[in-house]
Amino acid sequence: MQLVDSWRLFGPNLQTRGPAALAEVRFDEGEDVARAVDAWRAELLRMAVAIGLDVRDAAARVYRGGAVLTFSAPLDRLLPATDVNEWAVTSASSLLQGGLALSLEPRRTELMTALAARANPLWLALEAEGAARGVPFLWDDESVTLGAGRYSRTWPLDALPTVAVVPWGELRAIPIALVTGTNGKTTSVRLLARLLELAGHAVGMTTTDGVSVAGRVVEAGDYTGPAGALRALRAPEIDAAVLETARGGILRRGLVVSAPNVALLTNVSDDHLGHYGIDDLAALARVKAVVGSVVPPSGRVVVNADDVYLMDHARSFVAPLALFSLDPASAVLAAHQAQGGETWTIADGWVVRTRGAEEHRVVQATDISIGFGGAAPYNLANALGAAASASALGVSDAVIAKGLASFTSSAVDNPGRGNLGDVRGVRVLVDFAHNPAGIRGVLAFVARLQQADGRLLVVAGYSGDRSHESIRDAARAIADAHPIAVVLRDLRGYLRGRAP
């Protein structure tokens, strides 16, 4: 057993419901995995007892060739806890190789000193009081925030107030939606944010393109993890937030938001497999399901009923479900309706919402701008998910209808997603499709737009950290569209360890 990496999880994640220390390990060929994990547990407990750290929930998530080893820790003990985890792995590895376990000293004394230096009772007291009052508690290594958006206050970590002087009456939550999945996340986030804006909200939004606050971009780049969420939720201008929540952030850092009002799960397909022990679609769905698992019973989880992997987890959520499907005859929708559940679909040319026996037509499907008259069915699915999420956040049907009709696939409303234009008589489509399923969907859309005597040229690039098979599948998807030529764009910034 060899230590690969070690890090902190700041909130709910695939292994724990809150902050935790995590060590990633690799096993040698033929190594007794159960014996290795037992050795780690024993060494972890030996040091934990010596320094007074509770590790009773220590757990291992084992996968092919490796594992992640985690245990929960209080906020002010989280950083030293990662050192404890690394020590336990190193000591267990020595034992497994026939050597001696590491001596407790001098590491025990060093860890005790670190624990004492980082002890922050005010931090823990504010966390507990916020939880008791239902006030969001946000933090990083520099500061603590109570509340969210315009109903929040932030203090430096080394100058925290006592519970008694916090202006609790001014602090509260705002409507928050988390959006996750493989494809359609960014479009769904942007569309949902537009629906909330039309309903009168000032929205904080995070996507792979950046962080925006009340319609103004404040950070450019991929901000689909905790850093982006914190930047948006701390903005004093906002009173609602829509946060794109990517797989990497869940696995590497956990969730910043522990009780969102809505979670939207779009779909899962082959993307990023082979990282952190997520080797197949079932495992990827478990990661995405973390977002749905944290929604309280007062909220709503919106799930794509056509995705069997997501539906495997949907019934385990404590929040009510709103299911959407492009198939009005879906057996999954019918079963959910029979139980009084909420569903969204397209039937007889209309977006139809049902709640039990009640059925309501919201907007004609042809009025959904990003659907291109039905030529882009994946965007119709995105529209259903966003509409269901907006409805769960209190947006009226009239506003939803207006938003679905006015939100376009232009570079202004949805840059990089289905942007269609004409350049000197050539129709050009720009799209972020970045995995085989996304590429097939976009090229099927192109085929519906293409004239009978038209010719197709594809310009494509791909991220180097994807698996060999994913790259081959992307190539097959492009080849299946029978382009006259393919221009491969070398994305130097995305080689990520792969040769050009």
Side-chain angles (χ1 to χ4, degrees):
M1 179 169 65
Q2 302 174 47
L3 180 67
V4 176
D5 203 353
S6 173
W7 62 84
R8 294 171 292 169
L9 294 162
F10 291 82
N13 55 82
L14 188 56
Q15 287 77 226
T16 65
R17 303 302 298 172
L22 182 150
E24 181 184 9
V25 299
R26 180 173 62 247
F27 298 120
D28 294 329
E29 182 97 19
E31 185 169 0
D32 186 334
V33 172
R35 178 169 171 257
V37 170
D38 286 344
W40 162 74
R41 287 182 191 273
E43 292 307 288
L44 178 65
L45 182 60
R46 185 162 68 96
M47 179 59 84
V49 169
I51 63 175
L53 191 64
D54 185 356
V55 295
R56 284 175 294 181
D57 69 343
R61 176 170 63 86
V62 178
Y63 46 86
R64 186 176 65 251
V68 291
L69 312 172
T70 60
F71 62 92
S72 300
L75 301 181
D76 61 347
R77 295 185 160 209
L78 195 52
L79 191 57
T82 61
D83 293 331
V84 174
N85 213 5
E86 292 173 22
W87 180 92
V89 171
T90 304
S91 186
S93 296
S94 178
L95 283 170
L96 293 167
Q97 293 168 18
L100 298 175
L102 298 183
S103 172
L104 288 174
E105 295 293 355
R107 201 65 179 118
R108 185 193 73 86
T109 300
E110 295 168 352
L111 289 168
M112 291 290 288
T113 301
L115 289 169
R118 293 190 64 85
N120 195 330
L122 285 179
W123 195 6
L124 302 182
L126 292 173
E127 179 192 26
E129 187 68 18
R133 293 174 177 267
V135 173
F137 179 87
L138 309 169
W139 66 279
D140 55 23
D141 287 331
E142 283 78 43
S143 56
V144 164
T145 299
L146 289 166
R150 63 179 54 167
Y151 309 107
S152 69
R153 288 280 299 276
T154 299
W155 295 269
L157 196 57
D158 58 0
L160 295 176
T162 63
V163 169
V165 302
V166 172
W168 294 104
E170 302 172 12
L171 309 176
R172 59 184 173 91
I174 61 174
I176 298 174
L178 303 184
V179 179
T180 195
T182 300
N183 293 313
K185 294 190 298 296
T186 298
T187 295
S188 298
V189 165
R190 290 170 174 162
L191 178 52
L192 177 53
R194 173 65 59 82
L195 298 178
L196 288 169
E197 288 166 356
L198 291 175
H201 288 285
V203 182
M205 178 177 71
T206 64
T207 69
T208 51
D209 287 336
V211 181
S212 68
V213 171
R216 176 174 54 91
V217 176
V218 296
E219 299 283 356
D222 187 346
Y223 279 94
T224 56
L230 284 173
R231 179 68 177 85
L233 292 172
R234 285 172 165 166
E237 303 95 325
I238 71 166
D239 62 9
V242 186
L243 309 174
E244 183 172 341
T245 307
R247 163 213 60 92
I250 298 171
L251 290 169
R252 289 285 302 181
R253 289 291 178 253
L255 299 177
V256 164
V257 178
S258 59
N261 303 86
V262 169
L264 168 58
L265 283 64
T266 63
N267 52 68
V268 292
S269 65
D270 180 3
D271 198 12
H272 292 288
L273 297 182
H275 298 270
Y276 310 121
I278 307 304
D279 298 324
D280 54 38
L281 294 182
L284 183 59
R286 286 197 296 275
V287 178
K288 305 296 186 182
V290 171
V291 174
S293 71
V294 298
V295 182
S298 58
R300 189 72 52 86
V301 183
V302 180
V303 183
N304 181 353
D306 297 331
D307 193 297
V308 295
Y309 293 100
L310 292 178
M311 286 306 301
D312 282 344
H313 298 276
R315 301 301 175 188
S316 67
F317 301 146
V318 299
L321 298 176
L323 303 182
F324 66 93
S325 170
L326 291 177
D327 178 10
S330 164
V332 177
L333 288 195
H336 192 54
Q337 290 172 15
Q339 296 173 354
E342 178 177 341
T343 65
W344 291 71
T345 191
I346 295 177
D348 299 325
W350 285 83
V351 171
V352 178
R353 182 194 66 240
T354 63
R355 289 175 180 149
E358 174 194 347
E359 182 176 294
H360 185 78
R361 293 186 171 190
V362 178
V363 64
Q364 285 189 299
T366 53
D367 288 340
I368 300 174
S369 179
I370 61 173
F372 289 93
Y378 55 88
N379 266 345
L380 294 179
N382 292 335
L384 289 177
S389 300
S391 181
L393 292 171
V395 180
S396 70
D397 288 346
V399 169
I400 290 172
K402 179 180 178 182
L404 293 183
S406 62
F407 183 84
T408 70
S409 281
S410 68
V412 174
D413 286 347
N414 201 17
R417 273 74 179 174
N419 302 159
L420 185 64
D422 289 296
V423 180
R424 291 184 295 221
V426 177
R427 301 189 81 183
V428 177
L429 179 77
V430 178
D431 197 276
F432 186 64
H434 58 284
N435 52 58
I439 292 170
R440 289 188 188 281
V442 167
L443 290 176
F445 168 47
V446 168
R448 297 183 188 101
L449 298 178
Q450 193 172 339
Q451 296 176 354
D453 59 347
R455 297 181 298 165
L456 174 66
L457 169 69
V458 175
V459 182
Y462 216 62
S463 181
D465 61 350
R466 302 313 198 263
S467 68
H468 298 332
E469 189 57 29
S470 179
I471 294 174
R472 283 192 287 266
D473 283 348
R476 292 185 189 105
I478 295 171
D480 288 346
H482 304 296
I484 59 166
V486 179
V487 177
L488 297 182
R489 182 183 177 197
D490 197 2
L491 302 176
R492 291 282 173 166
Y494 289 86
L495 289 174
R496 296 175 179 173
R498 189 179 289 271

